[in-house]
């Protein structure tokens, strides 16, 4: 009897204890604060396509941007989209018909590396807003918050057939901040220009620039990095910090879903961008010249599980073209701009065609407010140098360096970059073969609307009105 009595007492105590615990759980379940969900797009695009007519370009020579060429073909644009590319198209009623006889039609050029707006013209200190120098990792800054839409360079780029571009921070820091992809149209704010649906990019830099800025610049000489090994330490520590930061937010979400009144981690805008890269939401664009450094960076990429979308400048990509192809990493390059510093010394003029021929993603970029006006000529130079070295690439294939491949690197190739039905009608009509030094853009279309017409006064920004510039024609 004594044992039975004891067991009953124990059972009663256990039930009572469970009741207390359940009550405590019920308290947690019922007292949760609102879930903290971070807005990933606090500065959304306000881009609205300009009004456009139904337009047919007939009897033109067409580079379609995916490696094809058609002689005497037609392109139909309607509702801001490419509708059809064919040998013969009967113009719909009311369509504007453009005679393409003797002219060439291509997809609009996309510059994957521009600083228009963040280093705006005129080039004064007041317009120098591209490098947030002071600490090596400034992932929390966004280039769009420096972009000045009144930069006259945007209109000049339209005259060169540039319909979209990525605007990047500078290369002083290991991580310079977020980039922004824009349509080359007039806008009162950068948000009016932001390419709808384009993912963010993030600028990183290898080599001499960050170690020079921090190792021997005006900053504290004791600050890291001052060597290339210091650079790599900085990247890796940044990624490790971002992993821990993301784990904190993941735990918060798990706990909240389990009914716990969890407290969210403190927001850190620098780590938020780096964590966005680790999750695959943000694409890395990395200023890097030497082949050996690019290989190291691809190792770091594998170590932390993120994606480098493209190396920029990449004057030694020809040495590792097979590795770049295997990893699916693009190279944005110049045709013949090199030798201005030690890490840019061992370039060759056949770099772009060698990378292309190895099956890797080759891009022609500008990194210049002047070069962006003549990117078609840069591609022509690289193509000619490749042919001199025995690398046969057709002009139609080479046009991919200017439109489809940069679109791939920016994550917008499903939207633009080629003359395929359903894509944005970002199109250029050239006076002659765009691989000729005599070629000029006659008409530039963005989403089917004419934004540049060589027969009319060139587009100018509000800032330019009333200001006379050197060589001005307005």
């Amino acid at each position: 009897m004594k044992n039975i009595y004891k067991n009953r007492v124990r059972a009663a105590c256990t039930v009572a204890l469970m009741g207390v615990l359940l009550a405590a759980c019920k308290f947690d379940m019922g007292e949760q604060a609102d879930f903290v969900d971070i807005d990933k797009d606090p500065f959304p695009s306000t881009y609205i396509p300009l009004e456009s007519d139904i337009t047919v370009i007939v009897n033109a020579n067409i580079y379609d941007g995916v490696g094809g060429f058609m002689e005497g073909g037609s392109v139909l644009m309607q509702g801001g989209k490419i509708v059809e590319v064919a040998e013969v198209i009967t113009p719909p009623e009311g369509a504007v018909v453009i005679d393409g006889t003797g002219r060439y039609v291509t997809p609009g050029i996309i510059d994957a590396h521009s600083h228009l707006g963040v280093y705006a013209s005129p080039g004064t200190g007041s317009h120098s807003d591209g490098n947030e120098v002071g600490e090596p990792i400034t992932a929390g800054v966004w280039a769009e918050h420096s972009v000045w839409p009144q930069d006259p360079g945007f209109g000049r780029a339209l005259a060169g057939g540039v319909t979209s571009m990525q605007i990047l921070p500078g290369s002083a820091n290991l991580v310079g901040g977020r980039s922004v992809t824009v349509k080359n149209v007039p806008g009162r704010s950068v948000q009016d220009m932001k390419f709808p649906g384009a993912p963010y990019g993030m600028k990183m830099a290898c080599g001499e620039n960050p170690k020079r800025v921090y190792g021997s610049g005006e900053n504290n000489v004791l600050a890291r990095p001052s060597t290339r090994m210091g650079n790599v330490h900085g990247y890796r520590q940044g990624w490790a910090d971002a992993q821990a930061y993301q784990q904190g937010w993941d735990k918060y979400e798990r706990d909240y879903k389990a009914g716990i009144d969890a407290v969210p981690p403190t927001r850190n805008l620098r780590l938020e961008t780096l964590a966005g890269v680790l999750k695959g939401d943000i694409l890395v664009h990395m200023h890097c010249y030497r082949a050996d450094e690019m290989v190291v960076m691809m190792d770091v990429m594998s170590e932390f599980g993120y994606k480098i979308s493209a190396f920029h400048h990449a004057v030694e990509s020809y040495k590792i073209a097979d590795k770049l192809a295997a990893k699916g990493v693009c190279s944005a390059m110049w045709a013949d701009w090199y030798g201005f510093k030690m890490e840019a010394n061992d370039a060759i003029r056949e770099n772009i065609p060698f990378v292309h021929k190895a099956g890797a993603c080759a891009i022609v970029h500008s990194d210049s407010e002047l070069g962006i006006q003549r990117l078609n000529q840069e591609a022509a130079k690289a193509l000619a140098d490749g042919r001199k070295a025995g690398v046969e690439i057709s002009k139609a294939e080479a046009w991919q360096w200017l439109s489809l491949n940069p679109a791939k690197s920016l994550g917008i190739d499903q939207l633009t970059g080629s003359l395929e039905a359903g894509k944005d009608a970002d199109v250029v009509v050239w006076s002659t073969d765009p691989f000729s030094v005599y070629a000029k853009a006659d008409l530039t279309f963005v989403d089917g609307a004419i934004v540049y017409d060589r027969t009319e006064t060139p587009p100018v920004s509000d800032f330019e009105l009333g200001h006379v510039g050197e060589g001005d024609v307005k």
Side-chain angles (χ1 to χ4, degrees):
M1 283 295 292
K2 204 171 186 179
N3 285 339
I4 292 173
Y5 174 76
K6 281 184 177 178
N7 287 339
R8 284 179 176 173
V9 170
R10 283 175 184 160
C13 289
T14 301
V15 169
L17 179 58
M18 288 177 66
V20 171
L21 291 173
L22 284 172
C25 289
K26 280 183 179 177
F27 177 79
D28 279 343
M29 294 284 285
E31 297 295 329
Q32 279 188 306
D34 291 339
F35 182 71
V36 176
D37 191 12
I38 295 174
D39 181 0
K40 293 182 180 179
D41 191 19
F43 308 100
S45 170
T46 54
Y47 173 78
I48 298 175
L50 297 168
E51 290 187 11
S52 61
D53 297 315
I54 302 172
T55 304
V56 186
I57 306 166
V58 299
N59 198 31
N61 302 304
I62 300 168
Y63 294 125
D64 62 14
V66 290
F69 175 71
M70 183 184 298
E71 191 172 353
S74 300
V75 179
L76 171 61
M77 299 180 280
Q78 184 172 356
K81 302 292 182 184
I82 303 288
V83 175
E84 187 179 8
V85 179
E87 290 186 359
V88 179
I89 295 175
T90 301
E93 185 177 348
V96 174
V97 179
I98 296 173
D99 183 8
T101 303
R103 300 155 112 182
Y104 283 68
V105 177
T106 68
I109 294 173
I110 300 170
D111 190 359
H113 192 120
S114 175
H115 297 299
L116 291 184
V118 298
Y119 286 113
S121 297
T124 68
S126 297
H127 287 163
S128 179
D129 289 311
N131 274 311
E132 183 61 23
V133 176
E135 54 183 306
I137 296 181
T138 54
V141 305
W142 299 27
E144 66 189 81
H145 297 144
S146 281
V147 172
W148 186 46
Q150 300 291 312
D151 185 347
F154 290 114
R156 306 300 190 272
L158 280 175
V162 175
T163 53
S164 297
M165 69 192 76
Q166 176 178 227
I167 301 173
L168 294 149
S171 53
N173 297 337
L174 299 176
V175 178
R178 293 199 194 195
S179 64
V180 62
T181 299
V182 300
K183 293 259 190 181
N184 194 10
V185 295
R188 292 181 298 173
S189 73
V190 68
Q191 287 174 267
D192 291 345
M193 305 168 71
K194 285 178 79 170
F195 198 121
Y200 278 106
M202 190 184 80
K203 175 72 175 293
M204 297 180 68
C206 291
E208 292 183 26
N209 284 20
K211 82 187 191 84
R212 181 184 68 242
V213 168
Y214 292 96
S216 58
E218 295 178 356
N219 298 287
N220 185 351
V221 296
L222 299 178
R224 284 179 170 178
S226 60
T227 63
R228 284 185 163 82
M229 60 185 175
N231 286 354
V232 176
H233 167 265
Y235 310 130
R236 297 181 72 229
Q237 188 59 59
W239 294 125
D241 291 346
Q243 284 180 329
Y245 180 74
Q246 186 57 46
Q247 286 165 3
W249 278 96
D250 291 345
K251 182 178 186 306
Y252 164 69
E253 185 173 354
R254 284 196 307 273
D255 288 349
Y256 193 91
K257 287 180 178 176
I260 298 172
D261 185 24
V263 177
T266 302
R267 281 187 74 180
N268 181 311
L269 299 182
R270 177 174 64 86
L271 296 176
E272 199 167 288
T273 293
L274 294 174
V277 172
L278 295 177
K279 289 191 291 185
D281 297 335
I282 299 172
L283 306 174
V284 169
H285 291 265
M286 189 147 200
H287 155 123
C288 220
Y289 290 82
R290 282 185 4 193
D292 60 313
E293 286 193 280
M294 287 187 266
V295 172
V296 169
M297 292 317 306
M298 287 192 286
D299 287 343
V300 175
M301 173 180 84
S302 298
E303 179 186 8
F304 289 94
Y306 64 96
K307 173 73 175 174
I308 297 173
S309 188
F311 288 115
H312 291 229
H313 314 332
V315 299
E316 294 187 11
S317 278
Y318 66 95
K319 298 181 180 178
I320 54 166
D322 58 332
K323 293 180 181 291
L324 293 164
K327 294 286 187 180
V329 179
C330 294
S331 296
M333 301 163 280
W334 297 295
D336 54 3
W337 192 7
Y338 59 89
F340 45 86
K341 55 181 174 178
M342 198 64 215
E343 66 182 357
N345 192 53
D346 200 16
I348 59 173
R349 296 170 64 100
E350 301 83 1
N351 192 25
I352 295 171
F354 279 7
V355 169
H356 175 94
K357 210 60 179 177
C361 167
I363 295 169
V364 176
H365 72 343
S366 78
D367 190 19
S368 162
E369 75 281 13
L370 299 177
I372 196 173
Q373 301 172 31
R374 291 178 283 278
L375 283 169
N376 59 310
Q377 295 180 14
E378 291 297 300
K381 286 190 290 186
L383 184 65
D385 286 323
R387 288 178 174 177
K388 288 176 187 172
V391 179
E392 280 301 323
I393 298 171
S394 71
K395 292 178 181 177
E397 283 183 273
W399 196 265
Q400 296 173 90
W401 305 341
L402 294 166
S403 59
L404 186 59
N405 287 354
K408 288 177 180 175
S409 78
L410 302 180
I412 55 174
D413 54 304
Q414 298 302 311
L415 303 171
T416 188
S418 61
L419 302 182
E420 296 177 280
K423 285 195 173 182
D424 294 351
D426 301 335
V427 175
V428 185
V429 179
W430 300 89
S431 60
T432 186
D433 189 335
F435 289 91
S436 164
V437 294
Y438 298 108
K440 295 180 179 178
D442 282 345
L443 296 166
T444 303
F445 296 84
V446 173
D447 287 324
I450 295 176
V451 288
Y452 172 78
D453 182 340
R454 192 159 67 93
T455 65
E456 297 185 357
T457 303
V460 294
S461 67
D462 288 346
F463 169 76
E464 289 185 273
L465 294 174
H467 292 82
V468 178
E470 184 178 358
D472 217 336
V473 294
K474 67 178 183 289

